[in-house]
Structure formats: C-alpha cells, structure tokens
Amino acid sequence: MPAREDILHKVRTALGRSAGPPLPSKSFHQLWRARRRKF
Amino acid sequence: MSVAFHERIQYALLDERLQKALYAATGRLMDKRKTGVAPDQLPDYQELRAQAHRIKQHTLENLDHYLELLARRVEDRGGHVVWCRDAGEVQEFVSGLARERGVTLAVKSKSMTSEEVSLNEALERSGVEPVETDLGEFIIQLAGERPYHIVAPAMHKTRQQVAELFCAKLGVEREEEIEKQTMIARAVLRKKFLAAGMGISGANFLVADSGAVVIVENEGNARLSTSSPRLHVAVAGIEKIIPRAADLAVFLQLLGRSATGQTLTSYTSFLSGPRRPGELDGPDEFYLVLIDNGRSRILADREKRQTLYCIRCGACLNICPVYRRIGGYSYPGTYSGPIGAILTPQALGLSHEPELPFASSLCGACAEVCPVKIDLPKILLELRSEVKKAETRERRWRAEKIGFTLWAWLMCHPRLFELAGGAAHALLGASGDGRWIRSLPGPMKAWTQARDFPPLPSKSFRQLWRARRRKL
C-alpha cells in the first residue's frame, strides 16, 4: 500500500472509524462473468 | 532499570560541573517562563492553555481530515507532499532527492524530528554534508553529540568548552567571549548558506487551511536555510497540524513564553510552497515530508493520545527535578525529560525502553507548566502499569510478586502481623544511627543502596493502643 494511504488508514483505524480495506475494482459477479466468458 | 540507563545517570550525578551548569541553566529558563506567564504579563494564561488543549484534541480527533486538507493546500501552492511511515523512508527520500539534484551541501535549521529519524547520518552516508545552522546545534554537531535539551541543545557546554571545540574543529584562535564565539560561527555559516543546494527545516506548526509551514526561532538561521537554497525540505510529524492560522494566536503566545519566557520569538516564518513568479526570495522546489514513525500507534490510545499535543517548548524539562539532576544524555532516544519519558516508550514500544516511565518522581510539576495541559503524571502511571503487567506476563519479578502476596496475607492475620513486627524490631532495632538505617540485610539491601530507611519505633501501634486503653 502506498505510504499516503497506509498512514491515513492507520490514522483512521486509530480513531476508530476505519472503513476497512478499499473496495476491489471489480465485483465478484463481474469477475465470475469474465471467468465464464473465458471458458 | 537497565545497566546502561543506570550508568548514564551515575555519570551525570558524579559530574559536579555538569550539575552546576544544568541546575543554573534550567533554573534561568524556569524563572523566565514564570515571569512570561505571570498574571500581569498574560492575564488569560490559563484560558489559553485550556484553549490550546481543546484545539489539539479536536485536531487529533479529526487528524485524517486535516492531513488531507493540508496536503491539498500544499499541492495547490506548488509544493510536494511526501508521506513517510518510518525513519528509513525519510532517510531514503531526502538522501535520494539530494543525489538526484546533485546536492553536496545541505543547511539545516533546528529540528528534533530530523534528529528522531537520524537524517544527518543518512545524508553523510549519501555523500551530502549536512550543516546545522542553529548555534546550539552547530556546537553539538562539531562535538559529535546529540541535543541535550529540546530548546537549548548545547545547554551542558560551558563557554570554555565551546572555545576549545571551535579551536580544535574550526582552526580559530581560542575565544571565550560568547559574542565573539557567535561571530565565529556566523562567519562559517554564512558561506555554507550561500553554497548549500538544499535547506532542511522542521516545522513548529502546519496550518491545514492554508498549507503553511510555521517556524519559530531566534537566530534567523531557519529563515536563511529555507529561503536561500534552491530546494527546501520541511520535515514534520503528522501531529504538528493545527486547523487554521487563527489558532496560532493561541499557540504562539504560549510557545515562546513557555520555552524561553519571550513574548514572541524573534522570527516567526510562514512558508507556503516554492517561490512564485515575481517573488524575490524562496526556493524553486518545496517538499513537505510528513512522518508517522509510531505516531498513529500513540493516537490509537484515547488516554495517552495527549502525548501528541506536545509543542516542544521544553518547560517540563526545566522544571522536572529528575531532569535537572540526570540531564539530557541519561535518557535514551531523542527526546529527554518528562515528555521523552512518555513519548519514547510509546513510539518505540514499551519493551524497547521499559525503564523510562519510572524516571520520574511523579511530583506533577511537568503537568503544571505544560502549555497544552498534557497530563504527564497520569500517562507515566499508565505506562508503569503496562510495564509491570508485561513483566508479570513474562514471569519476571517473581520474587517481588511472592513478597507482596506474603505481605497481603500477613496483613490479613493480625496476630501473625504483630509477631512479624516484633521479629523485625528484634532484627533491625539496634541497626542504624538512631535517625536512619543506612543498610538493610538480605534481599532488602537493594532498597538502601540509594536511600535510607526510617528506624523502627520503640513501640508498635498495637502496644501503644493497649497501653492507652489500660490508662483509661
């Protein structure tokens, strides 16, 4: 994780309002559909 | 207490010259502070302290917001913000930047944060000569030492020692007059300012809503370091942020007075990014290095978070009866005195410096003078408790634990307690000179190695009570 995001994440976690890890760029359904298309 | 820590303390205590110099210098600073914050000088001093505490509390509770705001504002003004997780990242970035720009000489203004991350050593390894330009820092750099005090880094040096140092390191004639010594340093430093390719500074405050770096000083060296070289790098901890420039009205009144008793320091510089078209002074490039280095860990503890409120005035050092005897070099780490005793163990981890929270008499004087009202004794007690809990988990101090368990059991059994009291009296009654017992036997000897023990009374409380009842 880049230092900027890491520090801000640590600060937010320390303050008890961490939103958790960032959302992935693709949803599970999108990945699943892409995988099915491959086969 | 670790052997090294104990040895450093013994070394300081046995140095009579150091003891006199330390006591006199801290005493002078303490007196100046007392005058500076006296009701006739600053009638609303207590309100200012409370307001400073509230501003710091608010800022740290919203630190993520203010960090992002500050970064945006700095970048809007053409500066660059570099985020560093630890000392290694700071060293790597600043050394790399110097190499990239072909810098071989860097002038530095006073910065405890740069000391904390050992920036000078990293620059030297990269072939860059770092030159400290604050007079005190210049002296201790020549001596190859680290700052003795947050505000007065060469507090422990006498003018005779400085004369010898200048003579040996600068090849000048021996000069004991302080004004003349200052002129020697000035002549050396002027050339360095003009030749330096990089200026490195710390920051007393980072103003989030304007992206300004605020530096307070008395010598003008910080202003020269940040405006003369073509490259300026400001190194600051993430806790140095304040929301608005208006908040400086509170902090600037407190900082100068608490540090040196001055109403305001001689120079207060507001630096906002690189030089803009049409401006005469200022660097071509500006980098703000924001450092975590354990601060986010301190932030996680709601009670001990106050440690990050510190504005590095050094008032707690000057008033601390422990610092005034053992001095700055007894403390491990960059920060000494009461603030060092709470900051270092939290930033580096309690297992790293477990003895530090015990280097205090808990008299509370530090909390009384702190301009941002940090409850230092409370944090020291909490840290002590954590150290003891960790030691219990590690099954250290088993003998102490057994001793206190036996003591608690004895206290619950009055007859046995009385018998034990009688036995102790038989054992110790004759020892000592009648006023103090200088040496206790067996495992209790450690107690009297550094202190005396009061003699046992000729009659116990129970004996006196029985005698009184018989009379009535």
Side-chain angles (χ1 to χ4, degrees), chain B residues 1-13 330 355 450:
Chain B
M1 196 178 284
S2 73
V3 175
F5 191 37
H6 191 258
E7 275 177 5
R8 288 195 298 270
I9 291 171
Q10 288 295 328
Y11 186 77
L13 291 177
S330 297
E355 65 273 359

Side-chain angles (χ1 to χ4, degrees), chain B residues 99-312:
Chain B
R99 266 198 308 272
E100 218 173 83
R101 301 289 190 274
V103 172
T104 53
L105 174 68
V107 281
K108 276 187 76 217
S109 66
K110 192 178 171 331
S111 158
M112 291 305 286
T113 314
S114 75
E115 295 282 345
E116 178 191 322
V117 299
S118 307
L119 193 54
N120 283 4
E121 291 81 350
L123 286 168
E124 278 166 7
R125 283 196 297 274
S126 304
V128 181
E129 183 198 354
V131 178
E132 294 288 351
T133 60
D134 170 90
L135 183 58
E137 292 275 354
F138 179 69
I139 292 167
I140 59 157
Q141 189 184 27
L142 285 179
E145 296 173 16
R146 62 184 175 93
Y148 201 79
H149 185 282
I150 291 176
V151 175
M155 171 188 268
H156 59 304
K157 297 265 183 227
T158 59
R159 59 197 168 94
Q160 289 81 10
Q161 285 176 312
V162 175
E164 275 167 34
L165 188 69
F166 279 8
C167 211
K169 300 280 179 173
L170 301 175
V172 292
E173 277 185 35
R174 189 184 166 86
E175 186 53 73
E176 287 192 10
E177 205 177 307
I178 291 172
E179 285 74 16
K180 287 183 179 164
Q181 290 176 344
T182 309
M183 293 314 287
I184 293 169
R186 183 187 162 100
V188 173
L189 291 172
R190 285 280 150 170
K191 290 177 197 153
K192 301 285 184 188
F193 282 124
L194 293 172
M198 181 188 267
I200 300 170
S201 75
N204 291 97
F205 304 100
L206 301 169
V207 185
D209 73 348
S210 64
V213 172
V214 181
I215 301 173
V216 300
E217 48 146 349
N218 281 317
E219 298 169 21
N221 65 302
R223 194 166 280 186
L224 272 171
S225 300
T226 56
S227 59
S228 177
R230 62 180 189 278
L231 189 59
H232 173 207
V233 179
V235 179
I238 53 173
E239 83 285 9
K240 291 287 174 74
I241 292 192
I242 55 165
R244 307 162 304 159
D247 298 322
L248 286 168
V250 176
F251 289 106
L252 291 180
Q253 289 202 72
L254 290 169
L255 181 54
R257 284 184 165 92
S258 301
T260 54
Q262 289 170 285
T263 312
L264 202 61
T265 47
S266 304
Y267 299 88
T268 304
S269 304
F270 293 71
L271 309 163
S272 309
R275 186 179 67 231
R276 282 179 282 275
E279 285 183 344
L280 290 174
D281 302 310
D284 296 336
E285 287 182 87
F286 169 71
Y287 289 85
L288 172 61
V289 181
L290 289 173
I291 307 170
D292 182 341
N293 208 30
R295 287 162 175 81
S296 55
R297 193 168 46 231
I298 301 174
L299 189 70
D301 190 304
R302 212 172 252 277
E303 289 296 321
K304 298 201 285 293
R305 187 180 290 168
Q306 290 182 47
T307 308
L308 299 173
Y309 295 6
C310 177
I311 56 172
R312 310 281 191 267

Side-chain angles (χ1 to χ4, degrees), chain A residues 1-4 6-8 10-12 14-15 17, chain B residues 60-62 64 68 83-85 89 296 299-300 305:
Chain A
M1 196 187 286
R4 179 184 187 277
D6 193 22
I7 292 172
L8 286 171
K10 280 182 191 160
V11 166
R12 288 189 183 116
L15 294 171
R17 55 164 173 271
Chain B
L60 288 174
E61 282 173 1
N62 298 282
D64 51 341
E68 287 192 298
W83 304 71
C84 293
R85 280 171 277 230
E89 289 190 355
S296 55
L299 189 70
R305 187 180 290 168

